[in-house]
Amino acid sequence: MNFDLTEEIVAMQDMARKFAEQDVLPRAKEDVFKRDLVAKMGELGLFGCAFPPRYGGVEAGFLAHSVVCEEISRADSGLRSLFNLQAMTVPYTIMEWGTEAARKKYVRDLVLGRKIGCTCFSEPNVGSDIAATETRIEDRGDHFRINGAKTWISNGTVADVAIVYGSFDRKLKHRGMCAVVVETDQPGWTPRETPKLGDKSSPIAEIHIEDVTAPKENLLGIWGEGFKVAMTALDRGRISVGSGAVGLAQACLDASVKYANERVQFGKLIGEFQLVKGVIAEMVSMVEGARLLVRRGAWLNDQGRPFTREIAIGKYAAGEAVVKAAGMAMEVHGGMGYSLEMPVEKYYRDAKLYQVGEGTANIMRLLIADDALGIKKANRPRVHVPDDFRDLD
Ligand SMILES: Cc1cc2nc3c(=O)[nH]c(=O)nc-3n(C[C@H](O)[C@H](O)[C@H](O)COP(=O)(O)OP(=O)(O)OC[C@H]3O[C@@H](n4cnc5c(N)ncnc54)[C@H](O)[C@@H]3O)c2cc1C
């Protein structure tokens, strides 16, 4: 086993860290969406780790993506939510499952930060059970017509392009699902921002969809294959979300170490008290353990090997770690943890998302336990990487 990152990945990490410290961190507490940072990340190539050059990428791989994601999240977990959509789930799903025409129209612009994307699974009555979608996608001969309602859509108020999951026949359940790329500048596409606890720089929307259309070339996969598309998108998204959890947990640890080395009580730095040391030790172990698990998932994806099980374990462990780390950071900071002057109150609010998004902690537990108990194998051959991804130029 080699735990060293390659020189190329270390260079990407350095660039991401410099960008995060100079451009993201000073504005992390501004609770607004920052379009200029999206453009800059696109220019720097930070969204392009997993993409070949012809799609605007740098082909550094999924492990590189994971490492960059961590750095962004360490500075602002809300921006990391956007990062997932822009650097992974939206363009990668179009690249993996889209027609050549759809790839040409959308992937490069998303990877370069010129267009903003969103992914639409969740609905008022549909969360973990995505195959129960009530959104209707109809084949109208020369185009698709879509009607429904989506909730909790990150980037929902700012996206130019959306991947919408729906069904052409709900009775068929999984087999009735389809995924279609939709351009949002249509009269029937109506987003409304949803107020929320954390992740304030990532706007979330509920979206009313009425007679929205998409050309035939915007179908992802084949008709009725939307569930498969969704599962691969979620696997890849879990690399980003797990990495984001590790980055935020690292930020909790960094802040706690700093404070424990500054705050004096009973004539001593609080970091000299054994009980505080115990908290720090536990945080270090959780962060490093979660990091290794998430990176293993990303690395397996780089090798073209199945990784559904491993990234579910990584995302689950990282989600648990960050929620605990955020609570521990509050503890180390005492009353100052509660203060808006300190970063940890934001970490505390942002952390909870990691037990919800891209499959809840329970859904990860189900997947992991079903595999362990021999009920359902998690690593099935559904993750395909067509050869024509490779840059032939
Ligand atoms: C900040 C944020 C951003 C988000 N961004 C997006 C986005 O961009 N696009 C998108 O489509 N969605 C997004 N979501 C929605 C998110 O994916 C869902 O919240 C998540 O999938 C869970 O669905 P739900 O909230 O409907 O919970 P439910 O599925 O209703 O679950 C409620 C509870 O029941 C548990 N539960 C459900 N089924 C089972 C089961 N079979 N066994 C055991 N326990 C179970 C869950 O674990 C959970 O604890 C976002 C959510 C948040 C909070």
Side-chain angles (χ1 to χ4, degrees), residues 300-317:
L300 282 170
N301 194 172
D302 277 330
Q303 308 311 305
R305 286 164 55 186
F307 65 100
T308 299
R309 172 183 174 272
E310 287 73 17
I311 203 58
I313 295 171
K315 191 256 170 190
Y316 172 63

Side-chain angles (χ1 to χ4, degrees), residues 134-390:
E134 294 174 355
T135 297
R136 273 179 295 123
I137 301 184
E138 291 168 80
D139 185 339
R140 305 284 293 177
D142 62 344
H143 67 277
F144 299 115
R145 187 169 71 181
I146 304 143
N147 282 283
K150 295 289 178 181
T151 50
W152 288 109
I153 305 305
S154 303
N155 284 355
T157 54
V158 292
D160 306 294
V161 174
I163 297 181
V164 177
Y165 292 85
S167 175
F168 62 90
D169 183 352
R170 291 192 68 222
K171 289 193 293 300
L172 296 176
K173 296 192 174 162
H174 302 76
R175 289 189 179 81
M177 265 184 92
C178 293
V180 172
V181 184
V182 168
E183 297 190 9
T184 63
D185 59 347
Q186 302 188 42
W189 184 269
T190 317
R192 197 175 65 183
E193 186 153 1
T194 307
K196 59 186 178 345
L197 174 71
D199 249 31
K200 299 277 190 182
S201 56
S202 161
I204 298 263
E206 55 178 57
I207 302 172
H208 184 67
I209 304 171
E210 192 178 348
D211 290 340
V212 161
T213 62
K216 282 305 208 34
E217 65 198 26
N218 282 17
L219 180 68
L220 300 179
I222 57 174
W223 191 240
E225 208 177 37
F227 189 73
K228 234 175 167 183
V229 176
M231 290 302 108
T232 59
L234 287 167
D235 278 345
R236 299 244 161 64
R238 281 170 198 154
I239 299 178
S240 308
V241 175
S243 309
V246 173
L248 179 56
Q250 180 69 54
C252 294
L253 172 62
D254 296 342
S256 302
V257 166
K258 183 170 182 291
Y259 195 73
N261 279 330
E262 287 169 1
R263 175 75 172 165
V264 173
Q265 285 297 286
F266 300 97
K268 278 184 178 179
L269 287 169
I270 60 166
E272 290 178 36
F273 298 121
Q274 286 187 350
L275 287 170
V276 176
K277 279 186 186 168
V279 170
I280 300 286
E282 206 169 324
M283 287 171 93
V284 171
S285 311
M286 285 190 315
V287 173
E288 299 208 1
R291 177 175 290 128
L292 287 176
L293 287 171
V294 172
R295 287 189 182 175
R296 176 178 66 161
W299 179 84
L300 282 170
N301 194 172
D302 277 330
Q303 308 311 305
R305 286 164 55 186
F307 65 100
T308 299
R309 172 183 174 272
E310 287 73 17
I311 203 58
I313 295 171
K315 191 256 170 190
Y316 172 63
E320 299 303 296
V322 71
V323 169
K324 283 193 195 131
M328 287 172 165
M330 292 289 277
E331 182 188 330
V332 170
H333 283 73
M336 285 309 284
Y338 222 70
S339 163
L340 298 183
E341 280 173 39
M342 290 299 212
V344 287
E345 58 81 26
K346 170 174 158 36
Y347 300 161
Y348 193 71
R349 287 183 287 108
D350 289 350
K352 195 66 192 168
L353 164 67
Y354 292 103
Q355 288 176 325
V356 179
E358 232 76 3
T360 64
N362 273 1
I363 297 300
M364 296 303 96
R365 285 188 188 115
L366 286 182
L367 192 154
I368 296 163
D370 280 352
D371 184 89
L373 293 163
I375 296 168
K376 190 156 64 171
K377 271 226 131 338
N379 286 341
R380 281 168 287 157
R382 66 181 179 213
V383 179
H384 73 270
V385 182
D387 290 344
D388 55 357
F389 271 28
R390 301 289 151 238

